[in-house]
Amino acid sequence: MPMMNNIQAVNDALMYEMEKDKSVMVLGEDVAQIGGVFRGTSGLLDKFGSERVVDTPLSENGIIGTSVGLALNGMKPVAEIQFSGFIYAGYDQLVSHASRLRQRSMGRFHVPLVVRMPNGGGVRALEHHSESYETIFIHVPGLKVVYPCTPSDVKGLLTSSIRDPDPVVFLEHIKLYRSFREEVPEGEYTVPIGKGRIARKGKDVTIVAWGAMVNVSLEAAKKLEQNDIEAEVIDLRTLKPLDKGIILDSVKRTGRAVIVEESQRISGYASYLSAIIGEQCLLYLKAPVSRVSGYDIKFPLYRLEEKYLPGPESVIHAVNNIMSF
């Protein structure tokens, strides 16, 4: 199997699906001539032509609105938003139309649309280029939200998202694009939406994470092992629909849970996960559920971003606290 990083896995999935299905197309700012700001769509224009690989004006509202119309008329658009911090103008189209049309039409119409966007921080980018507001999509009924960590999951889940009959928000962590490689299956390869994975097995504490926080948690787990603490790390892969079973089964075995997220603490996804664990695992818990998160501020510019982002030491501190509860 070829070795790929995350952005190569994005490109590989798009190449395969566009070859297989002529209704799949991509559109967004600079996706055609330049190949996308991170080169995720590089080479698509030459292979599939300007009717299926479309550069758009600088209008996120227009990109998603046009994609909804294309989806209603038989296409499977994959829209690229250059950074998730630019989505707000297009958010109205996602909430008011893409997410509602199946219910609004009583099942007569559906919107097979994927909206890809880089998300998160850690690469010393500018304002609006490092945000991690995944909860604003999770909260909207009718949207699926996928957030893979590894290259093979990027390919498998992007392929599944393109084939899904309903709108999917596909978040790609900006720091993971070129940070590591792994073997990725060639050709046909899918990973089911809504299924998490155990990234590391353990018996003492469950650490739940997604996106770049999976690798942060794995690094923490490796260091905790030196103190005879075996941490189980769960990579959610899909935030909605949520694989509750993999979380609850693990917490019932370990009796302890730490949830790690990059976004702000108030109303973060970790709050929801903590509530689920409290409601369904209360009698199994040996300590309160702990959350590790960013701070309730705008994402800082590069001099302070390492102080904002949760790191392995923050996770280790949280684990040690609940282990000694």
Side-chain angles (χ1 to χ4, degrees):
M1 290 189 286
M3 298 291 289
M4 294 185 192
N5 58 31
N6 276 13
I7 199 66
Q8 290 170 327
V10 167
N11 187 267
D12 193 57
L14 291 172
M15 282 281 186
Y16 185 83
E17 285 303 287
M18 292 183 74
E19 185 75 45
K20 178 185 175 72
D21 185 348
K22 291 184 178 179
S23 68
V24 179
M25 61 178 294
V26 301
L27 69 162
E29 298 159 10
D30 297 326
V31 298
Q33 295 290 339
I34 294 178
V37 66
F38 291 99
R39 306 298 185 263
T41 55
S42 180
L44 298 182
L45 177 64
D46 291 339
K47 189 164 186 177
F48 301 107
S50 58
E51 291 190 354
R52 295 179 63 195
V53 185
V54 181
D55 276 332
T56 67
L58 299 179
S59 171
E60 284 70 23
N61 188 27
I63 292 169
I64 298 179
T66 301
S67 297
V68 172
L70 287 164
L72 290 172
N73 285 279
M75 300 301 290
K76 296 177 182 173
V78 180
E80 178 177 306
I81 303 298
Q82 285 196 339
F83 295 89
S84 65
F86 299 167
I87 188 63
Y88 310 122
Y91 186 68
D92 174 58
Q93 292 290 341
L94 281 174
V95 176
S96 300
H97 300 295
S99 68
R100 294 173 184 264
L101 278 162
R102 179 184 284 276
Q103 182 178 1
R104 183 183 292 162
S105 66
M106 300 180 71
R108 290 181 61 206
F109 298 103
H110 59 96
V111 181
L113 161 66
V114 177
V115 181
R116 295 181 42 240
M117 61 187 100
N119 195 57
V123 297
R124 302 195 169 195
L126 305 173
E127 187 182 12
H128 285 289
H129 292 66
S130 303
E131 296 176 18
S132 188
Y133 290 159
E134 49 265 33
T135 52
I136 68 173
F137 307 111
I138 297 167
H139 197 66
V140 179
L143 294 183
K144 295 183 175 75
V145 183
V146 176
Y147 202 169
C149 170
T150 67
S152 56
D153 280 349
V154 166
K155 177 176 179 178
L157 281 163
L158 181 55
T159 302
S160 295
S161 299
I162 294 170
R163 297 178 186 182
D164 197 277
D166 294 305
V168 177
V169 174
F170 194 88
L171 299 172
E172 301 161 6
H173 199 284
I174 190 171
K175 193 174 181 178
L176 297 180
Y177 271 147
R178 291 179 171 85
S179 64
F180 69 105
R181 296 170 183 262
E182 69 173 15
E183 289 187 338
V184 176
E186 291 182 275
E188 175 79 18
Y189 179 66
T190 60
V191 172
I193 293 174
K195 292 292 183 184
R197 71 179 178 103
I198 296 177
R200 179 190 175 104
K201 290 186 177 180
K203 63 178 180 57
D204 296 319
V205 58
T206 301
I207 303 175
V208 182
W210 54 95
M213 291 299 106
V214 175
N215 289 347
V216 168
S217 301
L218 287 171
E219 188 176 343
K222 190 175 181 180
K223 293 180 178 177
L224 286 164
E225 191 176 28
Q226 298 169 6
N227 295 324
D228 296 325
I229 298 174
E230 296 182 23
E232 182 152 292
V233 178
I234 293 176
D235 175 4
L236 289 182
R237 303 199 288 191
T238 299
L239 304 184
K240 187 182 180 183
L242 173 66
D243 187 353
K244 291 182 186 177
I246 196 171
I247 300 173
L248 300 178
D249 289 347
S250 178
V251 174
K252 286 177 181 176
R253 282 189 284 105
T254 65
R256 304 177 181 90
V258 173
I259 307 164
V260 187
E261 66 178 341
E262 182 174 326
S263 60
Q264 285 80 0
R265 193 172 184 83
I266 291 181
S267 297
Y269 197 46
S271 305
Y272 172 63
L273 299 181
S274 178
I276 291 174
I277 294 169
E279 290 164 355
Q280 301 190 37
C281 292
L282 181 62
L283 299 181
Y284 295 88
L285 290 175
K286 302 171 184 173
V289 178
S290 179
R291 291 179 291 151
V292 177
S293 68
Y295 297 95
D296 295 316
I297 58 171
K298 296 294 184 188
F299 193 93
L301 295 180
Y302 63 89
R303 285 186 181 178
L304 295 173
E305 70 175 10
E306 291 301 326
K307 294 185 181 299
Y308 171 90
L309 290 168
E313 296 307 318
S314 303
V315 180
I316 291 170
H317 180 71
V319 170
N320 286 334
N321 277 345
I322 63 170
M323 291 298 296
S324 60
F325 179 79

